[in-house]
Amino acid sequence: MTEGTGRRTFLKTVASIPLAFSFGLLISPFMRFLRPTIRPLDILGPSDQPAALKPVEFSDAEFPEAWVCLPFMFEQSYKEYNPEEKEVRKIPGYAVKLPNGEVVAYSRICPHLGCIFNFVKDPDECAKGYNFKPNGPVFACPCHLSVYDIAQGGKVVSGPAPRPPRSFTVKVTGDKISIVSLEAGGIA
């Protein structure tokens, strides 16, 4: 290796140090963009998905027959980059016993624009108030008249809603029914 080649390599290395430093400074904001709740320099930290504070519990006796609908409030903790390191949100929901004996639970937040929808057991009442006559009990949103068929997994049967409401995970242990988590996603 000649003296000119060694000097050239040295100068290239010295010139690349500020460039590498500049790219290093850009990594932190980019990571904060990808994971807003990440702590500084905690790239491999745990997931920042929301978690239930505690499950909502019902007994089997609270659902004596098909189409019994019970409202509940589900508390979920979201990681935040603030002094408390979290934000607790209360999500309203309905637990409904289907004719096959299964208990399902859905968020009451309409996926169209975030209104709180109702449980309508009588198809005639739904026809009067929501301009749609279903075959059985449904969830119906009073804001823009979206109707969701509970027997078909919350399928949208009328109105502008883009998809069914978010569902909760329901676990049955003996005669205890627990609502333990909420399907990921937002309003729309």
Side-chain angles (χ1 to χ4, degrees):
M1 176 160 73
T2 65
E3 186 178 313
T5 308
R7 189 177 336 164
R8 190 174 303 135
T9 303
F10 173 75
L11 290 174
K12 283 182 180 179
T13 303
V14 169
S16 66
I17 290 173
L19 187 61
F21 182 73
S22 298
F23 282 128
L25 290 175
L26 292 175
I27 288 174
S28 180
F30 182 68
M31 290 305 295
R32 298 274 301 151
F33 172 75
L34 293 177
R35 283 186 56 197
T37 58
I38 192 172
R39 290 184 175 280
L41 305 175
D42 187 20
I43 296 170
L44 300 175
S47 172
D48 56 1
Q49 293 297 312
L53 287 182
K54 62 180 181 172
V56 175
E57 295 183 350
F58 296 101
S59 71
D60 193 37
E62 293 178 79
F63 297 95
E65 59 186 33
W67 300 119
V68 170
C69 178
L70 299 176
F72 63 89
M73 198 61 73
F74 187 79
E75 291 186 345
Q76 195 161 1
S77 174
Y78 291 79
K79 282 193 167 201
E80 293 288 335
Y81 194 63
N82 61 20
E84 295 84 25
E85 296 184 351
K86 68 178 178 179
E87 177 184 335
V88 176
R89 297 184 190 158
K90 294 181 179 182
I91 300 155
Y94 276 137
V96 181
K97 184 171 187 175
L98 299 177
N100 66 5
E102 179 186 9
V103 174
V104 295
Y106 292 95
S107 165
R108 289 185 62 196
I109 301 171
C110 179
H112 179 233
L113 291 175
C115 296
I116 303 297
F117 57 72
N118 302 312
F119 174 72
V120 183
K121 193 169 185 175
D122 182 16
D124 291 328
E125 183 183 330
C126 186
K128 290 179 204 168
Y130 300 95
N131 299 329
F132 179 79
K133 186 167 183 177
N135 295 330
V138 293
F139 295 137
C141 182
C143 296
H144 300 100
L145 307 180
S146 290
V147 178
Y148 309 95
D149 189 343
I150 306 164
Q152 294 184 39
K155 178 181 175 185
V156 180
V157 291
S158 178
R163 60 176 180 75
R166 292 192 297 161
S167 61
F168 287 95
T169 302
V170 178
K171 290 193 177 179
V172 179
T173 309
D175 69 337
K176 186 172 78 170
I177 298 165
S178 302
I179 298 167
V180 295
S181 65
L182 177 63
E183 174 185 358
I187 292 173

